[in-house]
Amino acid sequence: MTSIPLSLRITRLEATHLADLIDQFADLVADGSEPDDDPAVLRLVPDAYADDPEAAREFRDVTERDLLSRRHHDARLVRASLAPAATLTSVTDAGAQGWEEVELVLDPDAVQAWMRTLAAVRLVIATRLGITDEDQHDDDDPRFGVYDWLGYRLEGLVRAIESSRTDE
């Protein structure tokens, strides 16, 4: 990964929407969530042994809480790094201020947290929408727009990381 800070530009409107998604995700994986009751959370902690259900259950019992705790910690890092940009009190009345771009500087730990969290939030949304492959898409459903936008943001982050490697 990158060992230098990474600069990311985001509009206040995007940051505010993303902050809301991250807050929802953090609540989803917070202590006390019951993964067995939620297919989206189960996808975040997949079975380690597909051919041995008992071994898979034992492994899940040992690792599940730690994995979800790390995802929660990552979400809190992302949320904290979004704070300078996610300043809108109402996205419907944002006006020109919503399109103002803010530069976020992410340290290497935050970059890792962003990568893991954006991918995880996208996976949760995919589960909620029933997406199992990239060809499943409904242009009339705005939730697919959020799914696509997260993919766009994730791809932009990967490109920024790759670019920073060539600058080192």
Side-chain angles (χ1 to χ4, degrees):
M1 200 50 65
T2 182
S3 60
I4 60 173
L6 193 67
S7 178
L8 176 70
R9 297 193 64 74
I10 191 167
T11 67
R12 290 193 185 284
L13 189 60
E14 286 179 300
T16 301
H17 280 298
L18 183 56
D20 183 51
L21 283 172
I22 298 302
D23 287 343
Q24 291 176 49
F25 177 75
D27 288 346
L28 181 69
V29 297
D31 284 340
S33 63
E34 294 296 329
D36 290 339
D37 296 338
D38 190 331
V41 177
L42 282 173
R43 266 187 95 181
L44 297 174
V45 288
D47 286 336
Y49 306 102
D51 58 344
D52 187 345
E54 182 60 31
R57 170 82 343 243
E58 289 174 13
F59 184 80
R60 182 184 304 267
D61 289 344
V62 173
T63 62
E64 184 175 90
R65 183 53 33 215
D66 286 342
L67 288 171
L68 293 177
S69 178
R70 186 187 80 185
R71 291 191 184 281
H72 187 265
H73 175 75
D74 284 346
R76 302 302 347 138
L77 278 175
V78 172
R79 185 60 176 90
S81 66
L82 276 168
T87 58
L88 300 177
T89 55
S90 169
V91 294
T92 56
D93 299 327
Q97 182 187 13
W99 299 110
E100 178 185 349
E101 280 194 340
V102 176
E103 184 175 351
L104 302 176
V105 178
L106 308 177
D107 65 37
D109 288 339
V111 170
Q112 290 290 320
W114 272 71
M115 292 288 295
R116 289 187 296 260
T117 301
L118 291 181
V121 171
R122 195 164 188 257
L123 185 61
V124 167
I125 291 172
T127 304
R128 298 275 192 256
L129 295 175
I131 297 172
T132 56
D133 63 59
E134 289 295 321
D135 294 334
Q136 292 177 298
H137 205 280
D138 181 353
D139 290 332
D140 295 328
D141 187 333
R143 296 174 305 167
F144 282 87
V146 174
Y147 174 80
D148 289 341
W149 175 73
L150 285 168
Y152 162 77
R153 273 292 167 194
L154 191 55
E155 182 180 338
L157 189 56
V158 168
R159 285 187 184 152
I161 292 167
E162 290 172 352
S163 176
S164 73
R165 284 186 186 154
T166 60
D167 294 343
E168 288 182 5

